[in-house]
Amino acid sequence: MWHRVPRPEDGRVTEIITGLYMSPLEFLALLGAVALVVARWLPPAARPRVTIAAGAVLVLSAIVLSVVGIRWQMLPVLAGAAVALPFALSPLLRRRTGRPAWRARWWLALPGSVACVGLIATGPVAAWAFPVPVFPEPSGRFAVGTRVVQWTDPRRPERFTADPHDRRTVVVQLWYPAQKSPAGTQRAQYLGRTKHEARTVSDALTRAVGLPGFLVDGVPRAHTHSVFNAPVADRGGRFPAVLFSPGSGGVRTQNTAWAEELASHGYVVAALDHPYDSAAVVLTDGRTIHAKIASTDDRDKDDRLAVGWTAVRAADLSFVLTQLGRLDRGEIAGPLTGRLDTGHVAVTGHSMGGAAALQAARQDRRFDAVIDLDGYPHGPTSPSLHQPTLALTQAITPGTDPRYMSRLTKVLKLNTATSYRLTIPGAAHLTFMDGPLYLPPVPSIVGSLGRTESPHVVAAATLAFVDTTLRHKPDDLAGVLSAYGDLSVYHPGNSR
């Protein structure tokens, strides 16, 4: 599909198009459409054969695509071909009926051919801008399994409903080191356990940001590198855990590429859906809970609301850690019993989830390390953090909230453990999730790191941090992190 070529002048990875973000069937339809237009300009002896072959390929591809599900990106391809088809077939039909063949003068035909090719070309361009995401191959020694669990906290009422008997329920997806599955094993659907759930979640996400759902119709078609309910790896001992909270309105699967990379290196990643906050949460009984929280566009009011929402998320994270401990001890049935190292746990989050991770660690000393993926620290800054903390931030621009960096720096300086702030050049807010894999590569939206480098940088920096803080590997953490951006280190009582 794409070949990634390193640029020696800046060490980045450049994406060079050598193919298209299209399926083989879509590519055949594209070739048929182009050949149909080009046939008019071929030598007379070749025109009939090329026209008939191109028309046959195009029609058959279109029929099959209509059966398996056609993407909107193919509509301009088919439209351009439909315009060209009558003009390509007319000379052939006239010859068969004995009527004189009529062909437009070249200076009349050229603008029409250019227009058709231009229309057809918008298809692959649109497929490149809004592709079916292709997830990077995890680099660790383990294959990756995944499973979804649903847990209810009997001690916490659900604050988003009026039912006094309703208790807080969270849906959690686990990614874990697994045994290698046989070739041809179906890979896990992205965004959900089923195609229906993936479509439900995708539609809710696009509605939340005001986009037409069809623009990203490739996202719920994607599959990841994980295998649902794969057997746990039979080697590797006990696996440290990394808990994850998504951004406001985000969903548990929004950082799948990151989660799979960590799991392949021997970690269990537990990512949460926060009901009434996540865009859509599909429960095991089939009900779908949609988000109730929303911005008011009043900054002060939103800040106050965010403090409450962050507190709920922090409590969710602590509850899930408790459940993971019960799972490891066998109090909850599951394949990870006896394989979870809940004595070495990091809490992580993106955006508001990063704020929740900071708050959870502040309240719950069972968390041994904290990672904030570009999250504004909502809520109190006291008591101080006592865990090693890594904050990954986007490049600071004039449009960045001026309070963000000063508040984040204050939180890190108050920490009684060493903290790190890594600002990644070329990163935007959505760089820290799967967005670069399926959104247009516009720097203001997903940053300028590209579809290969974005997930690599975030996962590599995170992995270096958890390897050092949870597994106590003797790496030069500051040296490793500084390779990815501008690093500030805050030592207790001696920040710089």
Side-chain angles (χ1 to χ4, degrees):
M1 295 263 285
W2 291 69
H3 293 289
R4 272 73 182 186
V5 181
R7 290 192 305 180
E9 67 269 21
D10 62 6
R12 289 185 182 178
V13 174
T14 299
E15 294 171 343
I16 297 180
I17 303 177
T18 58
L20 302 171
Y21 275 100
M22 307 177 85
S23 70
L25 197 59
E26 291 171 335
F27 192 67
L28 272 179
L30 176 69
L31 289 179
V34 172
L36 204 61
V37 177
V38 172
R40 188 256 179 247
W41 304 95
L42 297 177
R47 284 178 206 143
R49 292 194 298 271
V50 173
T51 299
I52 292 171
V57 167
L58 178 67
V59 170
L60 289 174
S61 299
I63 291 173
V64 177
L65 284 171
S66 65
V67 173
V68 300
I70 192 166
R71 294 198 295 153
W72 68 270
Q73 291 92 334
M74 289 303 298
L75 297 181
V77 174
L78 299 180
V83 172
L85 188 60
F87 297 98
L89 293 180
S90 178
L92 301 183
L93 296 175
R94 283 175 175 268
R95 286 194 184 97
R96 290 184 63 86
T97 59
R99 301 169 64 186
W102 177 86
R103 294 178 72 244
R105 299 284 185 179
W106 72 267
W107 45 270
L108 288 175
L110 183 60
S113 295
V114 170
C116 286
V117 170
L119 186 58
I120 291 168
T122 61
V125 171
W128 165 76
F130 295 98
V132 176
V134 177
F135 286 84
E137 186 80 35
S139 66
R141 64 191 181 102
F142 293 103
V144 181
T146 188
R147 66 193 307 259
V148 178
V149 294
Q150 179 175 308
W151 290 323
T152 299
D153 187 348
R155 297 176 300 176
R156 279 197 301 155
E158 178 53 77
R159 58 169 287 184
F160 290 102
T161 65
D163 183 356
H165 303 292
D166 197 5
R167 291 294 178 265
R168 183 67 173 170
T169 295
V170 293
V171 176
V172 182
Q173 186 151 353
L174 305 173
W175 287 268
Y176 54 88
Q179 298 177 28
K180 187 175 181 180
S181 298
T185 300
Q186 180 68 45
R187 301 295 164 173
Q189 183 90 26
Y190 184 48
L191 292 187
R193 289 157 283 193
T194 64
K195 289 182 178 179
H196 176 72
E197 181 178 354
R199 176 62 64 183
T200 298
V201 172
S202 177
D203 290 346
L205 287 170
T206 53
R207 283 196 303 271
V209 296
L211 283 176
F214 75 87
L215 278 182
V216 290
D217 71 342
V219 177
R221 297 170 183 258
H223 287 81
T224 70
H225 291 286
S226 309
V227 173
F228 266 117
N229 301 316
V232 179
D234 52 8
R235 55 195 170 91
R238 299 167 77 90
F239 306 117
V242 179
L243 277 66
F244 176 78
S245 176
S248 179
V251 294
R252 66 178 189 266
T253 51
Q254 69 164 58
N255 280 56
T256 291
W258 172 86
E260 290 186 333
E261 177 68 5
L262 265 63
S264 77
H265 285 270
Y267 293 90
V268 173
V269 178
L272 284 67
D273 271 332
H274 299 282
Y276 305 101
D277 184 334
S278 295
V281 182
V282 179
L283 302 180
T284 53
D285 62 7
R287 288 182 298 136
T288 299
I289 299 176
H290 292 280
K292 284 188 175 181
I293 70 170
S295 171
T296 65
D297 294 326
D298 180 325
R299 191 170 76 173
D300 293 335
K301 184 175 181 180
D302 285 343
D303 283 347
R304 291 193 296 272
L305 290 171
V307 171
W309 299 334
T310 300
V312 173
R313 286 164 164 262
D316 288 346
L317 288 163
S318 287
F319 168 64
V320 169
L321 178 54
T322 297
Q323 295 298 92
L324 290 176
R326 296 183 62 213
L327 178 61
D328 178 61
R329 295 190 297 271
E331 297 170 20
I332 299 175
L336 287 166
T337 294
R339 301 302 303 278
L340 279 163
D341 181 2
T342 54
H344 294 89
V345 182
V347 60
T348 311
H350 171 246
S351 195
M352 186 180 286
L358 293 168
Q359 188 68 5
R362 192 175 283 117
Q363 299 169 354
D364 192 337
R365 294 292 296 274
R366 293 179 300 169
F367 292 112
D368 302 286
V370 192
I371 302 172
D372 174 11
L373 302 179
D374 206 35
Y376 182 93
H378 296 289
T381 57
S382 61
S384 300
L385 288 167
H386 299 287
Q387 300 95 331
T389 301
L390 171 64
L392 300 182
T393 72
Q394 62 180 300
I396 305 304
T397 69
T400 304
D401 187 337
R403 304 170 302 166
Y404 173 36
M405 198 52 63
S406 61
R407 185 170 176 83
L408 178 60
T409 300
K410 178 181 179 181
V411 169
L412 299 179
K413 284 185 174 181
L414 289 173
N415 198 346
T416 63
T418 301
S419 296
Y420 305 83
R421 175 169 56 82
L422 179 64
T423 300
I424 300 175
H429 191 56
L430 300 187
T431 298
F432 300 96
M433 52 176 289
D434 294 331
L437 299 177
Y438 57 80
L439 293 174
V442 179
S444 61
I445 299 176
V446 296
S448 59
L449 293 175
R451 286 175 174 153
T452 301
E453 198 69 0
S454 292
H456 166 70
V457 168
V458 177
T462 301
L463 191 59
F465 179 74
V466 294
D467 277 347
T468 300
T469 55
L470 301 186
R471 288 197 164 121
H472 309 295
K473 290 187 177 180
D475 293 337
D476 175 15
L477 179 58
V480 173
L481 293 177
S482 63
Y484 297 108
D486 302 321
L487 181 68
S488 296
V489 183
Y490 303 97
H491 297 290
N494 182 27
S495 61
R496 63 176 175 86

